[in-house]
Amino acid sequence: MEVSRHQQEFQRRGSKRHKGCSGAPTTEAAECPPGVDVHADLVVDKNAYGFLCEALQPGAAGPLRLKCRELQTNHISAFEIVTLLGSLDPSCLRRVKLCFENLGLTEFLVILPYLSRFPELRSLKLKISKLEHSTPELAVTLRSVARYLGSLSRLQELNLRCTWLSGNMCQILCELQAPLESLDLSYCSLLPPDLAFLSQSFHAPALKRLDLSGNDISQGLLEPLQLLLEKTSASLLHLDLTDCDMADSHLEALLPTLLRCSRLRFLGLRDNPLSMATIKNLLQKTLEFLHLDLFLYPLPLDCYMWDWPEFDWDLFDESVDEELLSAAEAEISQLLVDSGRSDLIWTDKPYSHKAPDYFSL
């Protein structure tokens, strides 16, 4: 940035020194100095916003040219996001993640049109604040959102985590021109019609990564989830059903369909009220998954000191019998060794192993 600020002055002085008899600059002076493209993944907050905008100026004459591959914005305004997007080289950006407190549809609609200038954009992650109940105004706004999403011709990953989408899945995805390969709908308060739409859409057979964490399977989602997994079984590599209030009976009903997803590399079932007997049965069944690398399983119900409905996360350390938990973990480890699948990572510790993201699947 320092070089860029003084570059014009350097060039002006150099031009004067190298002028020929005719007063025109020589070839040496007219040539642009060599530069280096710096490909970077940028995380931009209030502190970084100002100088990054300056560094990304299209007319900057410095020797280093920032090319942004992945952009994450943290709590900057919609106007600042638009300004930042306008400064980026359109040819490189492949992922955008917008982290913004109380980002609503109005602010999102300000940003969306500017994303269509990036032909390589394949991943969009965002959080829209809670949608109101259906109104004519909401329907019009959702149609605008869908239209702009449809203009992102290469979009393959959409992350709507923690967006209140109850009953609006069809309206959000209906204009997309190509099938998604990665979809994160965790903690979106989905309803059965949302999963039913998804299972009947052209996205289902193409999905490689699906995250439905935090959606209560006991609220009528079991049957549409079974249908969705049937449609995705040939392509699905990553499935996360963490914190879905899935009891033994739900998993027992889902298991035949789940076992059809034979290409799975990652399976997440953490924070579901499953017994040790069910978890051990699931282990035996998942040995058939020859490609499975990582399975995040829940702490068995048998290891809690009180019943699941009374479980309080604030008292986590006091609610688990450590001796029972250690014995359960040792038993699972021994089962993996005895089966010859010690390469398969079964763990109840979600932060000890990082699940692959879409671009590494």
Side-chain angles (χ1 to χ4, degrees):
M1 288 170 61
E2 285 296 323
V3 171
S4 298
R5 292 189 184 105
H6 302 289
Q7 191 72 24
Q8 288 186 345
E9 179 63 21
F10 295 154
Q11 290 178 342
R12 185 181 62 80
R13 292 177 181 174
S15 178
K16 284 183 177 180
R17 287 197 299 269
H18 293 91
K19 280 188 178 181
C21 298
S22 64
T26 64
T27 302
E28 179 184 356
E31 288 179 351
C32 294
V36 176
D37 290 344
V38 180
H39 292 256
D41 298 340
L42 302 178
V43 180
V44 187
D45 57 14
K46 288 286 186 182
N47 295 325
Y49 172 76
F51 68 78
L52 267 177
C53 281
E54 184 176 350
L56 289 165
Q57 284 294 328
L64 302 182
R65 296 182 292 266
L66 276 179
K67 307 287 185 177
C68 180
R69 186 184 66 159
E70 299 187 6
L71 174 69
Q72 176 178 327
T73 64
N74 288 343
H75 311 307
I76 62 177
S77 69
F79 173 78
E80 290 169 326
I81 292 172
V82 166
T83 301
L84 197 59
L85 290 172
S87 301
L88 297 178
D89 186 322
S91 65
C92 299
L93 193 66
R94 69 172 188 171
R95 171 179 283 167
V96 169
K97 182 177 182 180
L98 305 178
C99 300
F100 188 79
E101 290 181 0
N102 300 318
L103 178 67
L105 283 175
T106 303
E107 292 80 10
F108 186 45
L109 279 177
V110 172
I111 299 167
L112 260 178
Y114 293 87
L115 295 176
S116 61
R117 66 186 290 263
F118 299 100
E120 298 301 316
L121 184 63
R122 289 186 280 162
S123 173
L124 178 60
K125 298 185 176 185
L126 54 97
K127 176 184 176 182
I128 304 172
S129 58
K130 179 178 176 179
L131 301 181
E132 300 299 328
H133 293 294
S134 294
T135 63
E137 293 78 12
L138 176 61
V140 171
T141 304
L142 287 175
R143 283 198 294 270
S144 297
V145 169
R147 184 174 68 253
Y148 286 123
L149 286 177
S151 69
L152 306 178
S153 60
R154 297 203 63 187
L155 191 66
Q156 294 173 310
E157 178 175 49
L158 184 60
N159 184 324
L160 298 170
R161 181 181 176 86
C162 296
T163 299
W164 199 282
L165 288 176
S166 300
N168 290 298
M169 198 76 263
C170 175
Q171 290 85 340
I172 292 287
L173 301 182
C174 63
E175 296 288 339
L176 291 177
Q177 302 301 306
L180 295 169
E181 295 186 357
S182 176
L183 185 58
D184 188 334
L185 300 174
S186 53
Y187 299 93
C188 286
S189 300
L190 299 180
L191 298 177
D194 295 314
L195 289 189
F197 160 76
L198 191 57
S199 66
Q200 296 163 11
S201 71
F202 71 157
H203 304 291
L207 283 173
K208 296 180 180 179
R209 186 181 186 279
L210 178 62
D211 191 336
L212 296 174
S213 300
N215 293 286
D216 192 344
I217 200 172
S218 67
Q219 300 300 310
L221 293 183
L222 182 58
E223 289 187 9
L225 176 58
Q226 288 173 310
L227 181 58
L228 176 57
L229 291 183
E230 287 179 7
K231 296 296 182 67
T232 63
S233 59
S235 61
L236 201 60
L237 305 177
H238 176 118
L239 176 63
D240 202 338
L241 297 173
T242 292
D243 193 19
C244 287
D245 205 20
M246 185 185 302
D248 288 356
S249 58
H250 299 127
L251 184 58
E252 183 180 353
L254 188 63
L255 196 54
T257 308
L258 184 61
L259 292 176
R260 296 180 59 181
C261 303
S262 59
R263 299 181 62 198
L264 280 178
R265 299 181 193 172
F266 170 87
L267 178 60
L269 290 176
R270 292 183 301 109
D271 302 340
N272 285 294
L274 299 176
S275 67
M276 183 61 178
T278 296
I279 292 173
K280 286 168 60 178
N281 179 57
L282 181 61
L283 185 151
Q284 297 291 345
K285 299 294 186 182
T286 54
L287 295 177
E288 302 174 19
F289 291 164
L290 300 181
H291 304 285
L292 191 64
D293 297 318
L294 176 61
F295 177 39
L296 300 182
Y297 67 91
L299 300 182
L301 276 182
D302 316 59
C303 299
Y304 292 108
M305 296 181 184
W306 51 60
D307 293 337
W308 178 268
E310 301 174 7
F311 182 70
D312 186 348
W313 283 108
D314 294 331
L315 300 175
F316 176 81
D317 292 334
E318 302 173 20
S319 64
V320 177
D321 187 313
E322 294 296 337
E323 289 187 9
L324 290 175
L325 179 58
S326 296
E329 290 173 339
E331 186 174 358
I332 288 173
S333 297
Q334 189 60 50
L335 285 171
L336 289 171
V337 172
D338 293 343
S339 65
R341 287 299 307 274
S342 54
D343 60 309
L344 173 57
I345 300 174
W346 262 60
T347 180
D348 56 6
K349 298 175 176 58
Y351 305 110
S352 59
H353 299 276
K354 187 176 181 181
D357 74 357
Y358 166 65
F359 287 106
S360 61
L361 282 176

